Amino acid sequence: MDDVYCGATSLKQIALSQIQVYPNPSEGLVKISFPISEIKNYELEIISLQGQIIYLNSLNSNDVNLLEIDISNQEGGIYLLKVSTGNNQIIKKVIIK
């Protein structure tokens, strides 16, 4: 399983499902592409499997639809990208080589 959705089924959940993370796996430079939708504000977290938050940011998609995050300073392994908007969220697996 690569994606986990939380919250009521809605247009926001559909928009969250269209968020793309690439390349995956990566060397540590991860791009996140956001769909054009009515959702404008996102909360982003990248979390290690030990529960440590290694990246935290609020994003307004009016400003950007493509975000590049450099986590190359982290050890190789599996991380979780949590994208939230209101009561809806999606969790995507991110693999760092």
Side-chain angles (χ1 to χ4, degrees):
M1 180 181 336
D2 289 331
D3 300 337
V4 177
Y5 305 98
C6 300
T9 302
S10 67
L11 292 176
K12 287 183 180 181
Q13 186 177 9
I14 293 168
L16 284 173
S17 71
Q18 295 173 352
I19 292 173
Q20 297 178 355
V21 180
Y22 59 93
N24 199 8
S26 89
E27 298 290 332
L29 194 59
V30 178
K31 295 180 182 179
I32 304 170
S33 173
F34 297 89
I36 296 172
S37 73
E38 78 280 354
I39 301 173
K40 300 301 177 203
N41 297 304
Y42 295 94
E43 297 290 326
L44 301 158
E45 292 179 56
I46 297 179
I47 306 163
S48 71
L49 292 182
Q50 292 76 32
Q52 179 185 11
I53 297 173
I54 61 167
Y55 179 84
L56 179 63
N57 191 13
S58 296
L59 174 74
N60 184 317
S61 66
N62 282 336
D63 299 333
V64 64
N65 285 85
L66 179 65
L67 180 65
E68 193 170 81
I69 300 172
D70 184 358
I71 56 172
S72 59
N73 61 336
Q74 300 297 316
E75 291 184 29
I78 297 173
Y79 294 84
L80 303 176
L81 168 67
K82 182 168 80 168
V83 182
S84 305
T85 181
N87 293 329
N88 296 283
Q89 64 182 1
I90 186 171
I91 298 172
K92 292 183 170 272
K93 180 172 51 173
V94 176
I95 300 171
I96 303 301
K97 295 182 194 177

